[in-house]
Amino acid sequence: MKSFRFHRRSDVRRLAFVVATAVLAAGTGLSHARSADQAAIKREVTKQHDASVKRLQDWIALPSIAAEDRNSREGVEYMAKLARDAGFQKVEILETDGKPGVFATLDAGAKKTVGLYFMYDVKQFDPSEWSSPPLEARIVDKPGVGKVIMGRGAVNQKGPESAFLAALHAICGAGKKMPVNLVLVAEGEEEIGSPHIGQLVHRPEVEAALGKTIGVFMPSASQDLDGNVTVSLGAKGVVELELVASGEKWGRGPAKDIHSSLKAMVDSPAWRLVKALDTLVSDDGNTITIDNYPVAPPISAEHKAMIAASIATRNEEKLKQQLGVSHWIDDLPLQAAYERLVSQPTVNIEGLVGGYTGPGGKTVLPHRAVAKLDMRLVPGMKMDDAVAALKAHLAKRGYADIEVNVSGGYDPTSTRSDARLIEAQMDLLRQVGLKPTLWPRNAGSYPGFVFTDPPLSLASGHFGLGHGSGAHAPDEYYVIESSNPSVRGYDGAVMSFVDYLYELAK
Amino acid sequence: MKSFRFHRRSDVRRLAFVVATAVLAAGTGLSHARSADQAAIKREVTKQHDASVKRLQDWIALPSIAAEDRNSREGVEYMAKLARDAGFQKVEILETDGKPGVFATLDAGAKKTVGLYFMYDVKQFDPSEWSSPPLEARIVDKPGVGKVIMGRGAVNQKGPESAFLAALHAICGAGKKMPVNLVLVAEGEEEIGSPHIGQLVHRPEVEAALGKTIGVFMPSASQDLDGNVTVSLGAKGVVELELVASGEKWGRGPAKDIHSSLKAMVDSPAWRLVKALDTLVSDDGNTITIDNYPVAPPISAEHKAMIAASIATRNEEKLKQQLGVSHWIDDLPLQAAYERLVSQPTVNIEGLVGGYTGPGGKTVLPHRAVAKLDMRLVPGMKMDDAVAALKAHLAKRGYADIEVNVSGGYDPTSTRSDARLIEAQMDLLRQVGLKPTLWPRNAGSYPGFVFTDPPLSLASGHFGLGHGSGAHAPDEYYVIESSNPSVRGYDGAVMSFVDYLYELAK
C-alpha cells in the first residue's frame, strides 16, 4: 500500500469500497467460476458508478405522487424507459382505473425466472422541511453514516430499485449472461395504498408470466446503521381512510362554517368527530376498541424467538434516538415492544384537519372535520372485515352519518421461511459474512398479498444490502459511500443484487 | 312622478334612497331646527356618496391581520389618517406590546362627549373561497338584498365604521357644528381577542378622555334582512386558545413525525389530544364538562321576555337557511335556542390540525396535534377562572403535559337598559319608525369590558342602521343600496349615525 497515493476523493472511495467488499467477502464459499464472473461484474459496477448515481439523481428529480395527481404519466414512461435501458426486452405500460403501471420481461433463456415488484411513485414532501432540496438528490455528508444521496424517494424506493437496475447494467456491461429470467411489475400508487395493483397483476399475461417465477421481491435497503440485516417473512396489511363528520351528512350542525358564537345553539361536527374517534381506541390510545374488530392471533413462540435472536444485534438507544422516542408503549422492554410491533394491529391518526388550520385562531364553528386514519392488519385479519367492523361500530354508536372514505389498502402478506426466495437470501447473506436474522413481518406494509394470495400463491419479500432512512419524512437518504465498513454503499448494494440473482439461479 | 325619467342607475338609487328615508322618517317627532340641520346634512351625505364608498373600498384594499402579522403598521397609519380626515383634531398612534392603536379626540365645544371603539383589523381570508375578490370590494348585486360591497371587513367592521366617519364628513360638509365631542380608541387586534386593549384604554390620557364620555359605542350594521333592529345590552366574553399535545412535552410518543407503522410500539400524541378533548364536553358536544368550570347564572325572566319580544319579528326559516342549519341543539324551538345562545357559555373547536393535512393520506405518526378552541363566557364568569379551571381539569385527568396556549380573550360585558347610550338608541329607532327590541347580549364578543369594568364603569354598546353579513366567512358584504325599503343602504346608515349623535347631544 506504501506506493499508493490518494489525491482524489474518488480514489479514496474506491479503496474504501475494495476494503469493505473484501471484508464482506471474507470466508465465503463461492464457486470459482461464479467468483470470476462476479469479480468481472464488480469491476463493471465500479466503472459505471457515476453513471448509475446520475441515473438515480435524474429519477429523483421526477417525483410521481398519486395523492397529488402529479407526474404519474411522466413517471410511468420514465419507469418503462429505465426497464428498457436495463435490458428488459418487452416493456409495456398498462392502464388501470387509477395510475398506470409497467409490465416488463427479460428472457435470458435461463432455467429459473424471478419476479420483481417496483414502485415508481414517492411520498408527498414539503421542501421547507428539508435541509437539502428534495428533488436535487444532492450527495451530502451525513456524520457517522457517510456520503448519502438526499432526496424524496432516495430509499423508498428509487435508490434500491436503481441499484437493482445498475446490477443488470453491470452484468450486461461485463459481457455476462443473466443468470435468471425476470418479470417486473411496477406500480405508481404504492403510497396511496395500491388501490389498483390487482388490475396490473391479475391481467392474464401478467399473471401467466408471474406464475412462472419462483417468487417476487422488491429491492430494498435492508441494513441498519450497524450493518445488521433482518429478512422479513411478510408485512402487515393496511387500510387508509378518512373519517368525515359534516353538518351536511349529519343533518345537524351547519352546512358551512359559521361564526363560533353560534355554538351555543348549533351542534358541532368537529366535536362529533372527536366523540366518534374517542370510541375507537382505549384511553391510552393503544388498544383497538372497535366492536367486533378482527382479532389478531397471538404471537407464536417461533416469532418470539426470531425477535429475541434479532434483538442481540440491535442498539435500543440508537433506535430510540433515531425515532425521537424515549419510551415504548407501556414502557415495554425492547423484546416486548417488538412483539407488539410485529403482532398487533394498529389504528393510527395520520392527520387531523377541520375548520381553521392556519396561524393563530379564527372564530368559526366548522361544518366539517376529518381524521385521516391508517389501520395496520396482521395475518388472520382481512381489510374488508376491518372496514366493515369500523362502519358497523360507528353505526351502532349512533355515528352512521360519519363517512368512512377508504382511499386504499390491502391484506397482510406472509411467506414461509423455507421458500427459495428466503433461503437464497439467508445463504447469500451468510456467505458475505453477515449474520442475518429472520423477522416475523414488517410493521409497514406493501402489497405482497397480490403475489402471495391465490391464485398466484407465490413467495414474496424484499432484498438488498445497503442502508437508508427517512422514508415519508424530510431528509430521506440512501447511502452512497458508507463510513462504516459493515454497511454497504451504493456499489455494494448493486453487487448484493448481482449476487442474489446468481444465488437464485442455483 | 310622471315627468321623471330615470336613465341612470344612480338616479334610481337616489330615488330609492329618498323614498326609503321618507318611509323611515314618517311619524317622527324631531324638532324643527334639528330637522332642518339634518335635512341639510342628508343632502350632503347624498352628495358625498361616491367619495364615501370609494373611501371604504380603499380601506378594504388594505387588510390588517394581526394573526398573520400583516399590515398592522400600514393599517394603524391609515386609521389615523381616516380619523384626521374626518375632523379629529388630535390623533395619536399608540404603541402596545402587540399591534399599535389609535387614540383621537374631536373637541366641538359641545356639552356632551361620546366615546367610540373602532377596530382597524380584519379576519383572515382565503381568496379561493370568495365569489368576488375579497380585497377589491366590488359592488355586486345580491339577489333579494340589493347592491352590496363585497370584501373582507365589509361589515366587520370597516363598512359601519366608514359610514360613521362619512357622517362626520357630511356634518362638516354641510357647515354644521358637531353636536357632541368625540373620543376614539381604535385597535388592530380585535380578531385575535384584543390581548392589548388594556394597554390602549388604560393609558392615563386615554382613560381621562374616556372618563368624560357618556359611554362608548362601536359602529355596526344592526338591521337584519327584514329591517329589524335589536339593541344589545352587552356581549359574551371569549377566550381563544390552542391545546397542544406533543411527544416533546408528553415525554412519550415521538419528537418528530415517524412512520405510522410504529404506532404498534410508540404512543400517539394525536390520540392523546382526542382523549383529552373528549373530557371537555358531553357526548353531544353541547354541555361543558370541565371540572369546576365557572357556572353561568340562570337566565333572568327579563332576558327571556326580551327574547320573546324579539322573536315575533324574526323569521326562523330564513335564519336557518342563512346559517345552513336544519335543527338547533336538542331540536329546541327558537325561543329556547335563543335563550341558550344568550345565556350559555360555549367550548367550541375552531380548528383541528395535526400530522398530515393535505390531500389523500400520508402514513405518519404525528409528533404533535393541535385543537384550536374558543370559549365564550357570560356575565358571572371570568376569563382567568375559565382558563384556570381548564388547566386544572387537564392536570387532574393526567393531561398536564397538554399545553394550553391562550392567544387572546377577555371578560363578558354588560350595560344597563337605562343607560343614556341605550335609551338614545331606542328613542331614535322608534322615531324613524322602527320597532327596536332589546336583546340580553351578543353571543359574539367584543372587548367592551375594558369600558364597562372599573375604573371606567361606562356604558358600552353598538349602534348603526344598515345590514351586512358574512363576518369571518367568505363573501362578507355590507349593503350599499337596499332592495328592501325597510333596510337602510349606505347613505341611510350614515344618516343613522348623524341622527344618533344629535340624539345623544340631547
Side-chain angles (χ1 to χ4, degrees):
Chain A
M1 299 280 283
K2 240 176 106 184
S3 62
F4 275 73
R5 289 282 182 281
F6 299 106
H7 294 295
R8 292 181 308 132
R9 195 169 280 269
S10 59
D11 288 330
V12 178
R13 165 167 52 73
R14 277 173 197 140
L15 180 74
F17 174 69
V18 170
V19 171
T21 48
V23 168
L24 289 170
T28 67
L30 301 180
S31 75
H32 182 70
R34 206 175 133 206
S35 281
D37 269 13
Q38 282 157 272
I41 294 166
K42 189 183 296 181
R43 284 191 297 275
E44 190 65 22
V45 168
T46 307
K47 197 173 117 190
Q48 295 187 8
H49 174 89
D50 291 349
S52 300
V53 171
K54 176 66 167 48
R55 194 186 299 123
L56 171 55
Q57 287 173 316
D58 290 347
W59 198 6
I60 289 174
L62 176 72
S64 300
I65 301 177
E68 298 176 353
D69 208 12
R70 179 174 178 185
N71 285 342
S72 294
R73 184 57 53 186
E74 295 85 344
V76 79
E77 282 166 7
Y78 203 80
M79 180 73 248
K81 178 179 150 44
L82 287 172
R84 268 192 304 270
D85 292 351
F88 286 84
Q89 298 113 342
K90 199 180 141 204
V91 179
E92 256 187 284
I93 290 177
L94 301 183
E95 302 301 326
T96 73
D97 290 340
K99 305 305 178 192
V102 170
F103 166 51
T105 51
L106 188 158
D107 184 354
K111 214 171 65 188
K112 291 192 179 164
T113 302
V114 174
L116 289 159
Y117 165 63
F118 273 40
M119 56 191 276
Y120 67 82
D121 62 322
V122 297
K123 204 69 190 170
Q124 302 97 304
F125 58 92
D126 176 353
S128 71
E129 298 173 348
W130 289 62
S131 69
S132 177
L135 300 184
E136 289 189 18
R138 290 185 190 161
I139 308 294
V140 303
D141 272 312
K142 195 170 172 74
V145 177
K147 290 195 182 305
V148 305
I149 191 164
M150 191 168 281
R152 177 46 88 224
V155 66
N156 176 210
Q157 202 80 307
K158 289 176 174 175
E161 288 171 351
S162 78
F164 178 85
L165 296 174
L168 305 190
H169 281 274
I171 293 169
C172 175
K176 305 299 173 192
K177 182 177 169 307
M178 273 290 295
V180 293
N181 311 310
L182 298 174
V183 175
L184 167 70
V185 176
E187 70 156 319
E189 298 185 320
E190 201 277 347
E191 296 293 6
I192 59 167
S194 303
H196 302 100
I197 185 74
Q199 291 183 15
L200 294 174
V201 169
H202 297 309
R203 283 168 78 115
E205 70 273 26
V206 181
E207 214 170 77
L210 285 169
K212 292 177 192 149
T213 66
I214 57 170
V216 181
F217 79 96
M218 178 177 226
S220 71
S222 60
Q223 291 187 285
D224 68 15
L225 277 172
D226 298 318
N228 301 314
V229 175
T230 51
V231 174
S232 180
L233 297 176
K236 286 185 179 174
V238 70
V239 189
E240 274 196 274
L241 58 86
E242 288 189 344
L243 293 186
V244 184
S246 70
E248 300 90 314
K249 292 278 175 183
W250 188 14
R252 307 193 71 86
K256 58 181 181 179
D257 290 2
I258 59 175
H259 194 273
S260 68
S261 62
L262 290 158
K263 178 69 205 76
M265 63 192 282
V266 177
D267 294 286
S268 161
W271 276 123
R272 187 161 180 77
L273 179 70
V274 167
K275 292 289 170 177
L277 285 172
D278 180 67
T279 68
L280 304 183
V281 298
S282 56
D283 281 348
D284 62 4
N286 295 330
T287 303
I288 300 168
T289 54
I290 298 170
D291 299 330
N292 303 312
Y293 201 69
V295 174
I299 186 166
S300 66
E302 185 195 2
H303 283 180
K304 284 190 182 188
M306 283 181 192
I307 292 169
S310 176
I311 276 189
T313 62
R314 301 212 182 186
N315 182 332
E316 181 172 6
E317 282 319 303
K318 197 180 266 186
L319 179 65
K320 283 184 166 170
Q321 203 182 334
Q322 222 177 345
L323 298 173
V325 169
S326 52
H327 303 272
W328 309 121
I329 281 176
D330 296 333
D331 298 329
L332 294 174
L334 191 61
Q335 167 80 23
Y338 274 146
E339 287 177 9
R340 219 183 176 291
L341 182 70
V342 304
S343 68
Q344 291 305 302
T346 61
V347 175
N348 175 61
I349 297 178
E350 298 177 347
L352 287 172
V353 52
Y356 177 69
T357 59
K362 188 173 170 185
T363 46
V364 293
L365 194 178
H367 73 106
R368 187 172 189 274
V370 178
K372 294 167 186 277
L373 302 186
D374 69 280
M375 315 196 302
R376 306 273 169 183
L377 311 169
V378 296
M381 304 172 72
K382 289 283 183 191
M383 168 177 168
D384 291 346
D385 296 341
V387 173
L390 172 63
K391 287 182 178 171
H393 169 95
L394 289 173
K396 185 178 148 196
R397 305 292 181 111
Y399 298 111
D401 56 287
I402 292 187
E403 292 169 77
V404 178
N405 297 332
V406 176
S407 57
Y410 36 78
D411 289 337
T413 183
S414 272
T415 287
R416 291 165 54 100
S417 59
D418 59 1
R420 181 62 200 144
L421 204 73
I422 303 299
E423 284 186 338
Q425 288 193 25
M426 297 298 280
D427 289 349
L428 172 62
L429 293 167
R430 287 191 203 98
Q431 284 163 29
V432 299
L434 292 168
K435 294 183 185 71
T437 51
L438 285 170
W439 189 249
R441 73 181 54 90
N442 290 338
S445 305
Y446 88 108
F449 79 98
V450 81
F451 308 116
T452 58
D453 280 7
L456 284 167
S457 304
L458 293 165
S460 179
H462 288 74
F463 177 78
L465 289 179
H467 171 77
S469 189
H472 297 199
D475 287 354
E476 179 180 353
Y477 70 87
Y478 183 54
V479 175
I480 300 298
E481 293 173 38
S482 177
S483 58
N484 176 353
S486 302
V487 175
R488 290 217 184 167
Y490 194 81
D491 291 353
V494 175
M495 276 311 296
S496 76
F497 293 117
V498 172
D499 294 342
Y500 189 42
L501 295 178
Y502 274 91
E503 190 65 33
L504 287 168
K506 278 184 184 172
Chain B
M1 301 279 284
K2 243 177 105 181
S3 62
F4 274 72
R5 289 284 182 278
F6 300 107
H7 293 297
R8 293 182 306 133
R9 196 169 279 271
S10 59
D11 288 331
V12 179
R13 164 166 51 76
R14 277 175 197 137
L15 180 74
F17 174 69
V18 169
V19 171
T21 49
V23 168
L24 288 170
T28 67
L30 299 180
S31 76
H32 181 70
R34 208 176 130 204
S35 281
D37 269 12
Q38 280 159 270
I41 294 167
K42 191 183 292 182
R43 286 191 295 276
E44 189 66 22
V45 168
T46 306
K47 198 174 117 190
Q48 295 187 8
H49 174 88
D50 290 350
S52 300
V53 172
K54 176 69 166 46
R55 195 185 300 123
L56 171 55
Q57 289 174 313
D58 290 347
W59 197 8
I60 289 173
L62 176 71
S64 300
I65 301 177
E68 297 177 351
D69 209 11
R70 180 174 177 186
N71 285 343
S72 294
R73 182 57 52 186
E74 296 84 345
V76 79
E77 282 165 7
Y78 203 78
M79 180 72 249
K81 179 180 152 41
L82 287 172
R84 266 192 306 270
D85 292 352
F88 286 84
Q89 298 113 341
K90 199 181 141 202
V91 179
E92 256 185 285
I93 291 175
L94 302 183
E95 302 301 326
T96 71
D97 290 341
K99 306 304 179 193
V102 170
F103 166 51
T105 53
L106 188 160
D107 184 355
K111 212 171 65 190
K112 292 192 179 164
T113 302
V114 173
L116 288 159
Y117 165 63
F118 272 42
M119 57 190 276
Y120 68 82
D121 62 321
V122 297
K123 206 67 189 171
Q124 301 97 303
F125 58 94
D126 176 354
S128 71
E129 297 173 349
W130 289 60
S131 69
S132 176
L135 300 185
E136 289 188 19
R138 289 186 191 161
I139 308 294
V140 304
D141 274 313
K142 195 170 172 71
V145 178
K147 291 197 182 304
V148 304
I149 189 164
M150 193 168 278
R152 177 45 89 225
V155 67
N156 178 210
Q157 201 77 308
K158 288 176 174 174
E161 288 171 349
S162 78
F164 178 84
L165 296 174
L168 305 191
H169 280 274
I171 293 170
C172 175
K176 305 300 172 192
K177 182 177 169 307
M178 274 289 297
V180 293
N181 311 310
L182 298 173
V183 176
L184 166 70
V185 177
E187 69 155 320
E189 298 186 321
E190 203 278 346
E191 295 293 7
I192 59 167
S194 304
H196 302 99
I197 184 74
Q199 292 183 15
L200 294 173
V201 169
H202 296 311
R203 282 169 77 117
E205 69 275 25
V206 181
E207 216 172 75
L210 286 169
K212 293 179 191 145
T213 66
I214 57 172
V216 181
F217 80 95
M218 179 178 225
S220 70
S222 60
Q223 291 189 284
D224 68 17
L225 276 172
D226 297 318
N228 301 314
V229 174
T230 50
V231 174
S232 181
L233 298 176
K236 286 185 180 174
V238 68
V239 190
E240 275 195 272
L241 58 85
E242 289 189 346
L243 293 185
V244 184
S246 69
E248 300 89 315
K249 293 276 176 183
W250 188 14
R252 307 193 71 86
K256 59 180 181 182
D257 289 2
I258 59 175
H259 195 273
S260 69
S261 62
L262 290 158
K263 178 67 203 81
M265 64 191 283
V266 176
D267 292 286
S268 161
W271 276 123
R272 187 163 180 77
L273 180 70
V274 166
K275 292 289 172 177
L277 285 172
D278 180 66
T279 68
L280 303 184
V281 297
S282 57
D283 281 350
D284 62 5
N286 296 330
T287 302
I288 300 168
T289 54
I290 298 169
D291 300 329
N292 303 312
Y293 201 69
V295 175
I299 186 167
S300 67
E302 185 194 1
H303 283 181
K304 283 189 181 186
M306 285 181 192
I307 292 168
S310 175
I311 275 188
T313 62
R314 302 213 183 188
N315 182 331
E316 181 172 5
E317 282 319 304
K318 198 180 266 187
L319 179 66
K320 282 183 167 170
Q321 204 182 332
Q322 222 178 344
L323 298 173
V325 170
S326 53
H327 302 273
W328 308 122
I329 280 176
D330 294 335
D331 298 329
L332 294 175
L334 190 60
Q335 168 79 23
Y338 274 147
E339 288 178 9
R340 217 182 179 293
L341 182 69
V342 303
S343 69
Q344 291 305 301
T346 62
V347 174
N348 175 61
I349 296 177
E350 300 177 346
L352 287 172
V353 52
Y356 177 69
T357 59
K362 187 173 170 185
T363 46
V364 293
L365 193 180
H367 73 105
R368 189 171 187 273
V370 178
K372 294 166 187 279
L373 302 186
D374 70 278
M375 316 197 300
R376 305 273 169 183
L377 310 170
V378 294
M381 305 172 72
K382 291 281 183 190
M383 167 177 170
D384 290 347
D385 295 343
V387 172
L390 173 62
K391 286 183 179 172
H393 169 95
L394 290 173
K396 185 178 148 196
R397 304 292 182 110
Y399 298 110
D401 55 289
I402 292 187
E403 292 168 75
V404 178
N405 297 331
V406 176
S407 57
Y410 37 78
D411 290 336
T413 184
S414 272
T415 288
R416 291 165 55 100
S417 59
D418 59 1
R420 181 63 202 145
L421 202 74
I422 303 300
E423 285 186 339
Q425 288 193 27
M426 297 297 283
D427 291 348
L428 171 64
L429 293 167
R430 289 192 202 99
Q431 285 162 27
V432 299
L434 292 170
K435 293 184 183 71
T437 50
L438 285 169
W439 190 249
R441 72 180 56 89
N442 290 336
S445 306
Y446 88 107
F449 80 98
V450 81
F451 308 118
T452 58
D453 280 6
L456 285 167
S457 304
L458 294 164
S460 179
H462 288 74
F463 177 78
L465 289 178
H467 171 76
S469 190
H472 298 198
D475 286 355
E476 179 180 353
Y477 70 89
Y478 183 54
V479 175
I480 300 298
E481 293 174 39
S482 177
S483 58
N484 177 353
S486 301
V487 175
R488 293 219 184 166
Y490 193 81
D491 291 352
V494 175
M495 275 312 294
S496 75
F497 293 118
V498 172
D499 295 341
Y500 189 41
L501 295 179
Y502 274 91
E503 190 65 33
L504 287 169
K506 279 187 186 167

